[in-house]
């Protein structure tokens, strides 16, 4: 909404303005008020609540001086309005000499035009409305027998008994003033928006900002720059005096016309260390000055920490603790106790164990049991990515470092793990090239993004995991021995499932319970005698294989109880190699194969005095396989 105030000297003009407003195409956007006031009443008016004021003659001139913050527009009296009024005086009053009294934009041009048409006129234009009475008196004294002008001139003309005609404002003049007011208000609002945007950008910045003109004088500064100068005034001060250490680089940027960035200074007044950039401002192909941006390095470090914490909140957190490790065996008690003690150390930890022994579960538990538990936990499987991708994931890269880089570059996992733990799974699979770079990070505690020439300090604890001996790999020339010693400071061996048989029923039951919860089904029962089939299985895939067995049993089970047949079928589903062996067996005659295998089983059972577990080990097969073959041969 555009708020307008019209100040008019006579009531008839109010009607004209109302008519123009009612028929204006922008009428829905305009909120207008019309006041009938003489010039001596205008001085006391407050116009601060309006976007613009439209007035005539001395009223508009007076308001410009008393209310400079509000745009004031003239209803400019045209030369035609003046000529028409002069002619009315001659016709009505028979005037021979007419005085034009007032402050009008076209008054002298209109007077010249009147003379061209044989009308004798004199112009009396006072500088202020307070001189108006004297001008009217002078007009009478000089022989003017009629007077034209504004409403105030008419009052004095009546007092000195001079015939008077009011110069009236026409509809075209009102419309022109109204359109100009709308345009002016829109421009003022745009400029105000630009100005407020500029101020907001300058003053919301966490960096110190200065604009220094060509003469070396500070013309713009924000509150941060002032704080960096211990609240001393900076406006219109020479840069050489306010920040003398910046002046030589300012001169260099001014003469070269090139941006200079990354200069480090210690400000002597505030003792703040800042990184400073100098950017020339070029207008009309000339340098008008230099923008100086000062970044408090301490604040940058704090911001970096906040960013890293935000990344942690987005999912770089360890979910598991030692309490989540399901077990009841002593060997796991001892392993967990060792891990708890190692968690309190800052030294690197390596987890050694077969596939599926729960290395990431231990890694997360170690992180959550350490002093870094409030920091990020970042994990990566080193075998899952090719060498070039693994390098960019670990160390990050700058924009343009290689084809396909993300705009602005990318933070690497070392940076994301700053203040926390980086878990490197399958560490034995990384190439020698990556090993060399990893060793440097562990030695120097700093990384360099791909394509960058700057180093970034990192504070990261490494927990690595492997299912191979990195020292054996080092003997074979596949792993750097110095890196192996850096990683293998605190070693934890995770026992395979076959060494912790009493944990198998507990784990298996928990897996079934999870499946029941997910699918909203009751958990089927297992007879106590059948647990031994699970406990004696080799489980080369450890917990991961046990999970597969649980899911197969869940899918096969049809009643409220898991049978031996379902359990064995889940543990040893038919495989391609088994089918091939069966095919080979069928090539031989039943007389050659079956009696021999039956005899071997019977002999093994006899030697082991009926102990099926020992007999299975003697034959080199699982107990479940032995059980299946015994059932087959009766």
């Amino acid at each position: 909404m555009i708020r307008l105030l019209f100040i008019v000297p006579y009531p008839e003009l109010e009607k004209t303005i109302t008519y123009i407003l009612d028929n204006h195409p922008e009428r829905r956007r305009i909120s207008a008020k019309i006041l009938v006031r003489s010039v001596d009443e205008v001085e006391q008016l407050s116009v601060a609540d309006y976007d613009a004021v439209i007035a005539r003659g001395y009223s508009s001139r007076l308001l410009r001086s008393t209310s400079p913050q509000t745009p004031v527009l003239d209803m400019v009296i045209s030369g035609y309005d003046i000529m028409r009024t002069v002619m009315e005086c001659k016709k009505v009053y028979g005037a021979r000499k007419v005085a034009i009294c007032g402050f009008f934009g076209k008054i002298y041009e209109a007077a010249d035009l009147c003379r061209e048409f044989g009308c004798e006129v004199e112009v009396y234009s006072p500088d202020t409305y307070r001189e108006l009475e004297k001008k009217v008196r002078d007009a009478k004294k000089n022989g003017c027998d009629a007077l034209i002008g504004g409403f105030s001139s008419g009052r004095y003309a009546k007092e000195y008994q001079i015939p008077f005609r009011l110069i009236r404002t026409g509809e075209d003049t009102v419309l022109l003033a109204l359109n100009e007011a709308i345009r002016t208000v829109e421009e003022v609002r745009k400029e105000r928006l630009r100005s407020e945007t500029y101020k907001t950008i300058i003053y919301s910045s966490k960096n110190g900002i200065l604009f220094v003109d060509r003469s070396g004088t500070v013309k713009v500064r924000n509150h941060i720059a002032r704080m960096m100068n211990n609240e001393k005034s900076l406006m219109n001060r020479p840069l050489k005096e306010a920040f003398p250490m910046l002046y030589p680089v300012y001169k260099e940027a001014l003469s070269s016309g090139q941006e200079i960035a990354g200069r480090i200074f210690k400000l002597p007044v505030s003792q703040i260390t800042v990184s400073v950039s100098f950017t020339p401002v070029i207008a009309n192909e000339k340098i008008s000055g230099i923008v100086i941006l000062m970044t408090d390095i301490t604040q940058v470090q704090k911001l970096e920490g906040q960013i890293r914490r935000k990344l942690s909140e987005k999912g770089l957190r360890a979910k598991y603790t030692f309490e989540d490790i399901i077990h009841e065996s002593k060997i796991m008690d001892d392993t967990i106790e060792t891990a708890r003690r190692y968690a309190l150390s800052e030294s690197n930890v390596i987890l050694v164990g077969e596939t599926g022994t729960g290395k990431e579960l231990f890694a997360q538990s170690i992180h959550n049991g350490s002093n870094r538990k409030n920091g990020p936990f970042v994990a990566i499987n080193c075998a899952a990515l090719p060498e070039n991708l693994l390098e960019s994931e670990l160390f990050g890269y700058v924009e343009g470092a290689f084809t396909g880089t993300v705009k602005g570059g990318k933070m690497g996992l070392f940076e994301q793990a700053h203040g926390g733990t980086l878990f490197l799974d399958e560490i034995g699979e990384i190439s020698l090239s990556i090993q060399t770079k990893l060793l440097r990070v562990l030695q120097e505690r700093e990384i360099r993004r791909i394509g960058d020439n700057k180093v970034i300090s990192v504070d990261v604890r490494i927990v690595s995991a492997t299912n191979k001996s990195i020292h054996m790999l080092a003997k074979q020339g596949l792993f750097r021995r110095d890196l192996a010693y850096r990683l293998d400071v605190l070693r934890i061996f995770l026992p395979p499932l076959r060494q912790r048989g009493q944990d198998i029923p507990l784990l298996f039951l928990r897996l079934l319970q999870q499946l029941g919860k997910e699918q909203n089904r009751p958990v089927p029962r297992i007879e106590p005698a059948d647990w031994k089939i699970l406990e004696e299985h080799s489980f080369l895939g450890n917990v991961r294989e046990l999970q597969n067995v649980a899911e197969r049993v869940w899918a096969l089970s049809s009643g409220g109880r898991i049978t031996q047949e379902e359990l064995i079928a889940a543990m040893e589903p038919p495989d391609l190699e088994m089918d091939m062996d069966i095919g080979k067996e069928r090539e031989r005659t039943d007389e050659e194969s079956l009696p021999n295998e039956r005899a071997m089983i019977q002999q093994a059972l006899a030697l082991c005095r009926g102990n099926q577990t020992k007999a299975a080990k003697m034959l080199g097969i699982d107990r479940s396989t032995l059980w299946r073959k015994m059932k087959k041969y009766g």
Side-chain angles (χ1 to χ4, degrees), residues 486-555:
R486 287 275 181 182
L487 296 172
D488 189 8
V489 180
L490 305 176
R491 187 192 303 176
I492 299 174
F493 174 75
L494 302 186
L497 202 55
R498 60 183 173 275
Q499 292 183 12
R500 38 185 289 225
Q502 65 189 104
D503 292 340
I504 293 175
L506 197 63
L507 286 166
F508 192 70
L509 189 59
R510 178 63 63 89
L511 291 168
L512 291 178
Q513 288 170 347
Q514 287 176 355
L515 289 167
K517 187 176 180 181
E518 290 170 7
Q519 300 183 27
N520 196 25
R521 279 175 52 190
V523 177
R525 187 179 75 260
I526 301 179
E527 294 297 331
D530 296 337
W531 282 117
K532 205 162 186 64
I533 298 173
L534 275 173
E535 291 173 13
E536 294 178 353
H537 188 68
S538 58
F539 284 110
L540 298 179
N542 294 290
V543 178
R544 199 165 293 138
E545 183 183 348
L546 182 65
Q547 183 174 1
N548 292 344
V549 171
E551 291 187 15
R552 291 191 198 114
V553 163
W554 187 265

Side-chain angles (χ1 to χ4, degrees), residues 319-378:
K319 296 183 292 183
Y320 300 110
T321 65
F322 289 116
E323 284 69 30
D324 295 312
I325 301 174
I326 300 166
H327 73 288
E328 59 181 18
S329 61
K330 185 177 186 306
I331 190 170
M332 283 302 289
D333 274 336
D334 295 342
T335 304
I336 291 170
E337 180 58 29
T338 301
R340 284 185 191 275
R341 294 182 181 183
Y342 284 177
L344 299 175
S345 170
E346 282 294 305
S347 300
N348 294 333
V349 177
I350 189 165
L351 301 168
V352 179
E354 296 177 4
T355 298
T357 49
K359 292 187 281 293
E360 182 158 357
L361 180 63
F362 265 84
Q364 292 192 25
S365 300
I366 289 168
H367 172 79
N368 279 331
S370 73
N371 295 327
R372 295 173 176 265
K373 61 185 176 183
N374 294 323
F377 175 85
V378 182

Side-chain angles (χ1 to χ4, degrees), residues 450-494:
I450 299 172
D452 203 355
N453 56 4
K454 300 190 296 291
V455 294
I456 302 169
S457 296
V458 290
D459 173 24
V460 176
R461 184 189 192 184
I462 302 294
V463 175
S464 55
T466 180
N467 55 13
K468 301 176 180 178
S469 168
I470 57 174
H471 294 285
M472 289 297 294
L473 292 174
K475 287 181 180 179
Q476 298 167 18
L478 300 176
F479 205 90
R480 290 187 62 115
R481 194 175 296 277
D482 44 5
L483 177 60
Y485 287 122
R486 287 275 181 182
L487 296 172
D488 189 8
V489 180
L490 305 176
R491 187 192 303 176
I492 299 174
F493 174 75
L494 302 186

Side-chain angles (χ1 to χ4, degrees), residues 427-438:
I427 190 69
E429 303 297 330
I430 62 175
S431 68
L432 289 170
S433 172
I434 300 292
Q435 289 177 34
T436 302
K437 293 172 183 176
L438 182 58

